[in-house]
Amino acid sequence: MITNLDLEEKTDEELVIIILENQNAFSLVVDRYKDKLLRYIRRISSVSVEESEDMLQNIFIKVYLNLNEFDDSLKFSSWVYRIAHNEVIDNYRKRKSRPQLMDVDIKDSYVKELAGDTNILEELSREELKCEISEAINKLDLKFQEIIILKYIEEKDYQEISDIIKKPLGTVASRMNKAKAELKKVLVHKNFS
Amino acid sequence: METKNLGEKILQTIQEQKIKPKGRWYFLLKNYFIWAIGGLALLAAGAALSVMIYFFRYNDFGMRGEINKSFAEMLILTMPYLWIVCLGIFVFVVYYNLKHTKTGYRYPIWIIITVAIVTSLILGGLFTIAGWGERLDEVLEKRTPMYGEMMNPHINFWSNPGEGRLVGIVSGIATKEEFNLVDKDDKEWVIYISERELKFPLEIGQPIRLLGEKKSEVEFEVNRIMPMTPGRGFFKHMGPGDHPPIMKKNF
């Protein structure tokens, strides 16, 4: 008999096998991912709280429906984020409106890295810098916004980003460079105008 | 709504709607389907290439002096454009399906396209060695209306009496110096053999190519007779009933 405590110690991948036998174990996946995914949805889309919760519900239903599709050629978290990514893209296409980024909580280490290319920001305090970057990310295309969020806010590595957005590693790297270049452009323009 | 309640709501929805995970077979089938379509497209690309190789093998580049065409002109006139388009479509289908396999997205476009093209080339070469390109062309010409004129550039290239090229099927042998030929438009020609030393075992119902000179709207003087290679199926599809029974005559 597996107890809840045992289940909590299981890895995501082990949990998938258990969920296929016992539906109730899916609550652990929901618990592990609901906050992360809700934040991710709200960071890259302009939807209301209610709508983001509806999207989250759809995402978990899709995760559950497609559990048998998951295999260990990629991380479970990447697979879940991929479903979330697709849901956000579908929603974006339906609405056909440009998503507005919510305030993002960028880690200090990443603020430094992201700001590294733009010398003009040296005089700004860390908080001002965060605010500047957050606003600048908001002005980028969705594909650039998303890649920066995945890397610097969701803290995914390139392989995970590749698995989430279903693009080759080279494309991820070049898109990241372009996103940074666009971000720099926006920041420079903002501070000179 | 708090996320704790949200989690419960999601589980409740799953239970209320009796949602069950799709079976493993569904994803296996989907995966096999993608691979199968990709595989079929690859075979089709190989077949398209083998037909194109077959056309190129009989492109008559060596006869460009007699035909009065430059290499480039002959290349342009005998290029199997529609087969090239088909090949492009098949390669795209291979690419699309490989890209949509489980891990296909991990590979850059150029790798997938290169793999698709190189594999098609290898298959095309193997099919050519096995003679499948020739056989496929003949079958398609016999059984598919319009295939010959649309897909085989040799038929139109050789159907130009004004420039001294005529192609068709032998419909009658009158004398040693004269026989009849039906061209692709079902028009009957009287063919005069200008050179006595011209030797070619003619058979009624046989598709042939002629080099010579147009004498009138229905007369053609020939100075070279050659068998029809790509395109012979097209003339065979006219059906044996349309022509007198086959008989051989050596000149």
Side-chain angles (χ1 to χ4, degrees), chain B residues 231-250:
Chain B
R232 62 184 174 218
F234 171 79
F235 290 99
K236 281 180 185 167
H237 96 279
M238 286 172 153
D242 297 345
H243 309 285
I246 287 181
M247 52 183 266
K248 277 192 177 180
K249 202 161 185 177
N250 282 311

PDB file of all heavy atoms in Angstrom, chain B residues 231-250:
ATOM      1  N   GLY B 231       8.409   6.839 -72.786  1.00  0.00           N
ATOM      2  CA  GLY B 231       7.260   7.270 -73.571  1.00  0.00           C
ATOM      3  C   GLY B 231       6.640   6.149 -74.363  1.00  0.00           C
ATOM      4  O   GLY B 231       5.552   6.298 -74.895  1.00  0.00           O
ATOM      5  N   ARG B 232       7.341   4.990 -74.407  1.00  0.00           N
ATOM      6  CA  ARG B 232       6.764   3.919 -75.243  1.00  0.00           C
ATOM      7  C   ARG B 232       5.444   3.426 -74.643  1.00  0.00           C
ATOM      8  O   ARG B 232       4.547   3.013 -75.362  1.00  0.00           O
ATOM      9  CB  ARG B 232       7.747   2.788 -75.441  1.00  0.00           C
ATOM     10  CG  ARG B 232       8.161   2.083 -74.183  1.00  0.00           C
ATOM     11  CD  ARG B 232       9.213   1.046 -74.462  1.00  0.00           C
ATOM     12  NE  ARG B 232       9.663   0.526 -73.187  1.00  0.00           N
ATOM     13  CZ  ARG B 232      10.885   0.209 -72.906  1.00  0.00           C
ATOM     14  NH1 ARG B 232      11.835   0.346 -73.817  1.00  0.00           N
ATOM     15  NH2 ARG B 232      11.217  -0.270 -71.727  1.00  0.00           N
ATOM     16  N   GLY B 233       5.334   3.496 -73.319  1.00  0.00           N
ATOM     17  CA  GLY B 233       4.092   3.077 -72.661  1.00  0.00           C
ATOM     18  C   GLY B 233       2.922   3.948 -73.081  1.00  0.00           C
ATOM     19  O   GLY B 233       1.792   3.493 -73.197  1.00  0.00           O
ATOM     20  N   PHE B 234       3.228   5.237 -73.323  1.00  0.00           N
ATOM     21  CA  PHE B 234       2.190   6.178 -73.730  1.00  0.00           C
ATOM     22  C   PHE B 234       1.555   5.707 -75.035  1.00  0.00           C
ATOM     23  O   PHE B 234       0.337   5.739 -75.206  1.00  0.00           O
ATOM     24  CB  PHE B 234       2.808   7.571 -73.912  1.00  0.00           C
ATOM     25  CG  PHE B 234       1.880   8.571 -74.530  1.00  0.00           C
ATOM     26  CD1 PHE B 234       0.910   9.193 -73.770  1.00  0.00           C
ATOM     27  CD2 PHE B 234       1.979   8.901 -75.875  1.00  0.00           C
ATOM     28  CE1 PHE B 234       0.053  10.126 -74.334  1.00  0.00           C
ATOM     29  CE2 PHE B 234       1.124   9.814 -76.455  1.00  0.00           C
ATOM     30  CZ  PHE B 234       0.151  10.442 -75.679  1.00  0.00           C
ATOM     31  N   PHE B 235       2.406   5.263 -75.985  1.00  0.00           N
ATOM     32  CA  PHE B 235       1.872   4.840 -77.285  1.00  0.00           C
ATOM     33  C   PHE B 235       1.221   3.470 -77.201  1.00  0.00           C
ATOM     34  O   PHE B 235       0.288   3.178 -77.917  1.00  0.00           O
ATOM     35  CB  PHE B 235       2.982   4.879 -78.328  1.00  0.00           C
ATOM     36  CG  PHE B 235       3.370   6.298 -78.650  1.00  0.00           C
ATOM     37  CD1 PHE B 235       4.476   6.876 -78.068  1.00  0.00           C
ATOM     38  CD2 PHE B 235       2.589   7.070 -79.483  1.00  0.00           C
ATOM     39  CE1 PHE B 235       4.816   8.190 -78.329  1.00  0.00           C
ATOM     40  CE2 PHE B 235       2.913   8.397 -79.747  1.00  0.00           C
ATOM     41  CZ  PHE B 235       4.031   8.957 -79.164  1.00  0.00           C
ATOM     42  N   LYS B 236       1.719   2.673 -76.244  1.00  0.00           N
ATOM     43  CA  LYS B 236       1.099   1.351 -76.093  1.00  0.00           C
ATOM     44  C   LYS B 236      -0.312   1.482 -75.526  1.00  0.00           C
ATOM     45  O   LYS B 236      -1.151   0.640 -75.740  1.00  0.00           O
ATOM     46  CB  LYS B 236       1.958   0.466 -75.189  1.00  0.00           C
ATOM     47  CG  LYS B 236       3.150  -0.125 -75.928  1.00  0.00           C
ATOM     48  CD  LYS B 236       3.971  -0.982 -75.018  1.00  0.00           C
ATOM     49  CE  LYS B 236       5.234  -1.459 -75.738  1.00  0.00           C
ATOM     50  NZ  LYS B 236       6.202  -2.025 -74.816  1.00  0.00           N
ATOM     51  N   HIS B 237      -0.547   2.581 -74.768  1.00  0.00           N
ATOM     52  CA  HIS B 237      -1.877   2.705 -74.149  1.00  0.00           C
ATOM     53  C   HIS B 237      -2.949   3.035 -75.178  1.00  0.00           C
ATOM     54  O   HIS B 237      -4.132   2.984 -74.890  1.00  0.00           O
ATOM     55  CB  HIS B 237      -1.862   3.724 -73.007  1.00  0.00           C
ATOM     56  CG  HIS B 237      -2.309   5.105 -73.372  1.00  0.00           C
ATOM     57  ND1 HIS B 237      -1.482   5.998 -73.973  1.00  0.00           N
ATOM     58  CD2 HIS B 237      -3.500   5.715 -73.229  1.00  0.00           C
ATOM     59  CE1 HIS B 237      -2.149   7.126 -74.176  1.00  0.00           C
ATOM     60  NE2 HIS B 237      -3.369   6.985 -73.739  1.00  0.00           N
ATOM     61  N   MET B 238      -2.476   3.347 -76.431  1.00  0.00           N
ATOM     62  CA  MET B 238      -3.468   3.569 -77.493  1.00  0.00           C
ATOM     63  C   MET B 238      -4.249   2.270 -77.732  1.00  0.00           C
ATOM     64  O   MET B 238      -5.328   2.277 -78.271  1.00  0.00           O
ATOM     65  CB  MET B 238      -2.766   3.987 -78.786  1.00  0.00           C
ATOM     66  CG  MET B 238      -2.240   5.413 -78.750  1.00  0.00           C
ATOM     67  SD  MET B 238      -1.232   5.708 -80.217  1.00  0.00           S
ATOM     68  CE  MET B 238      -1.425   7.457 -80.416  1.00  0.00           C
ATOM     69  N   GLY B 239      -3.661   1.153 -77.280  1.00  0.00           N
ATOM     70  CA  GLY B 239      -4.370  -0.126 -77.317  1.00  0.00           C
ATOM     71  C   GLY B 239      -4.108  -0.895 -78.582  1.00  0.00           C
ATOM     72  O   GLY B 239      -4.061  -0.323 -79.672  1.00  0.00           O
ATOM     73  N   PRO B 240      -3.939  -2.201 -78.458  1.00  0.00           N
ATOM     74  CA  PRO B 240      -3.631  -3.020 -79.630  1.00  0.00           C
ATOM     75  C   PRO B 240      -4.769  -3.032 -80.637  1.00  0.00           C
ATOM     76  O   PRO B 240      -4.569  -3.185 -81.826  1.00  0.00           O
ATOM     77  CB  PRO B 240      -3.389  -4.424 -79.047  1.00  0.00           C
ATOM     78  CG  PRO B 240      -4.003  -4.407 -77.682  1.00  0.00           C
ATOM     79  CD  PRO B 240      -4.034  -2.988 -77.231  1.00  0.00           C
ATOM     80  N   GLY B 241      -6.006  -2.803 -80.154  1.00  0.00           N
ATOM     81  CA  GLY B 241      -7.153  -2.841 -81.055  1.00  0.00           C
ATOM     82  C   GLY B 241      -7.171  -1.687 -82.050  1.00  0.00           C
ATOM     83  O   GLY B 241      -7.814  -1.754 -83.091  1.00  0.00           O
ATOM     84  N   ASP B 242      -6.432  -0.643 -81.746  1.00  0.00           N
ATOM     85  CA  ASP B 242      -6.431   0.527 -82.615  1.00  0.00           C
ATOM     86  C   ASP B 242      -5.527   0.347 -83.835  1.00  0.00           C
ATOM     87  O   ASP B 242      -5.499   1.162 -84.724  1.00  0.00           O
ATOM     88  CB  ASP B 242      -5.927   1.760 -81.843  1.00  0.00           C
ATOM     89  CG  ASP B 242      -6.855   2.092 -80.698  1.00  0.00           C
ATOM     90  OD1 ASP B 242      -7.979   1.559 -80.712  1.00  0.00           O
ATOM     91  OD2 ASP B 242      -6.451   2.853 -79.812  1.00  0.00           O
ATOM     92  N   HIS B 243      -4.736  -0.712 -83.810  1.00  0.00           N
ATOM     93  CA  HIS B 243      -3.743  -0.885 -84.876  1.00  0.00           C
ATOM     94  C   HIS B 243      -3.828  -2.291 -85.444  1.00  0.00           C
ATOM     95  O   HIS B 243      -4.311  -3.203 -84.794  1.00  0.00           O
ATOM     96  CB  HIS B 243      -2.350  -0.637 -84.308  1.00  0.00           C
ATOM     97  CG  HIS B 243      -2.282   0.655 -83.577  1.00  0.00           C
ATOM     98  ND1 HIS B 243      -2.248   1.858 -84.206  1.00  0.00           N
ATOM     99  CD2 HIS B 243      -2.314   0.914 -82.235  1.00  0.00           C
ATOM    100  CE1 HIS B 243      -2.241   2.824 -83.294  1.00  0.00           C
ATOM    101  NE2 HIS B 243      -2.283   2.272 -82.101  1.00  0.00           N
ATOM    102  N   PRO B 244      -3.317  -2.434 -86.655  1.00  0.00           N
ATOM    103  CA  PRO B 244      -3.290  -3.775 -87.248  1.00  0.00           C
ATOM    104  C   PRO B 244      -2.442  -4.713 -86.404  1.00  0.00           C
ATOM    105  O   PRO B 244      -1.617  -4.244 -85.626  1.00  0.00           O
ATOM    106  CB  PRO B 244      -2.644  -3.534 -88.618  1.00  0.00           C
ATOM    107  CG  PRO B 244      -2.671  -2.084 -88.837  1.00  0.00           C
ATOM    108  CD  PRO B 244      -2.704  -1.441 -87.495  1.00  0.00           C
ATOM    109  N   PRO B 245      -2.619  -6.021 -86.541  1.00  0.00           N
ATOM    110  CA  PRO B 245      -1.823  -6.960 -85.758  1.00  0.00           C
ATOM    111  C   PRO B 245      -0.314  -6.775 -86.026  1.00  0.00           C
ATOM    112  O   PRO B 245       0.080  -6.377 -87.127  1.00  0.00           O
ATOM    113  CB  PRO B 245      -2.292  -8.326 -86.229  1.00  0.00           C
ATOM    114  CG  PRO B 245      -3.065  -8.088 -87.467  1.00  0.00           C
ATOM    115  CD  PRO B 245      -3.539  -6.683 -87.441  1.00  0.00           C
ATOM    116  N   ILE B 246       0.471  -7.072 -85.025  1.00  0.00           N
ATOM    117  CA  ILE B 246       1.925  -6.851 -85.144  1.00  0.00           C
ATOM    118  C   ILE B 246       2.532  -7.770 -86.205  1.00  0.00           C
ATOM    119  O   ILE B 246       2.248  -8.954 -86.268  1.00  0.00           O
ATOM    120  CB  ILE B 246       2.606  -7.080 -83.792  1.00  0.00           C
ATOM    121  CG1 ILE B 246       2.271  -5.898 -82.873  1.00  0.00           C
ATOM    122  CG2 ILE B 246       4.126  -7.238 -83.925  1.00  0.00           C
ATOM    123  CD1 ILE B 246       2.880  -5.972 -81.506  1.00  0.00           C
ATOM    124  N   MET B 247       3.303  -7.218 -87.094  1.00  0.00           N
ATOM    125  CA  MET B 247       4.065  -8.033 -88.051  1.00  0.00           C
ATOM    126  C   MET B 247       5.437  -7.384 -88.221  1.00  0.00           C
ATOM    127  O   MET B 247       5.604  -6.192 -88.063  1.00  0.00           O
ATOM    128  CB  MET B 247       3.335  -8.103 -89.394  1.00  0.00           C
ATOM    129  CG  MET B 247       2.940  -6.774 -89.983  1.00  0.00           C
ATOM    130  SD  MET B 247       2.026  -6.954 -91.480  1.00  0.00           S
ATOM    131  CE  MET B 247       3.317  -6.824 -92.685  1.00  0.00           C
ATOM    132  N   LYS B 248       6.417  -8.221 -88.437  1.00  0.00           N
ATOM    133  CA  LYS B 248       7.790  -7.707 -88.494  1.00  0.00           C
ATOM    134  C   LYS B 248       8.232  -7.556 -89.933  1.00  0.00           C
ATOM    135  O   LYS B 248       7.844  -8.321 -90.811  1.00  0.00           O
ATOM    136  CB  LYS B 248       8.746  -8.687 -87.799  1.00  0.00           C
ATOM    137  CG  LYS B 248       8.772  -8.480 -86.313  1.00  0.00           C
ATOM    138  CD  LYS B 248       9.928  -9.239 -85.724  1.00  0.00           C
ATOM    139  CE  LYS B 248      10.000  -8.957 -84.213  1.00  0.00           C
ATOM    140  NZ  LYS B 248      11.092  -9.657 -83.594  1.00  0.00           N
ATOM    141  N   LYS B 249       9.045  -6.536 -90.177  1.00  0.00           N
ATOM    142  CA  LYS B 249       9.604  -6.367 -91.509  1.00  0.00           C
ATOM    143  C   LYS B 249      10.980  -5.733 -91.372  1.00  0.00           C
ATOM    144  O   LYS B 249      11.099  -4.661 -90.756  1.00  0.00           O
ATOM    145  CB  LYS B 249       8.689  -5.463 -92.336  1.00  0.00           C
ATOM    146  CG  LYS B 249       8.885  -5.647 -93.813  1.00  0.00           C
ATOM    147  CD  LYS B 249       7.680  -5.114 -94.558  1.00  0.00           C
ATOM    148  CE  LYS B 249       7.794  -5.403 -96.034  1.00  0.00           C
ATOM    149  NZ  LYS B 249       6.618  -4.962 -96.772  1.00  0.00           N
ATOM    150  N   ASN B 250      11.993  -6.398 -91.857  1.00  0.00           N
ATOM    151  CA  ASN B 250      13.343  -5.829 -91.798  1.00  0.00           C
ATOM    152  C   ASN B 250      13.667  -5.136 -93.114  1.00  0.00           C
ATOM    153  O   ASN B 250      13.432  -5.659 -94.186  1.00  0.00           O
ATOM    154  CB  ASN B 250      14.382  -6.935 -91.565  1.00  0.00           C
ATOM    155  CG  ASN B 250      14.389  -7.334 -90.115  1.00  0.00           C
ATOM    156  OD1 ASN B 250      14.442  -6.487 -89.229  1.00  0.00           O
ATOM    157  ND2 ASN B 250      14.274  -8.630 -89.876  1.00  0.00           N
TER     158      ASN B 250
END
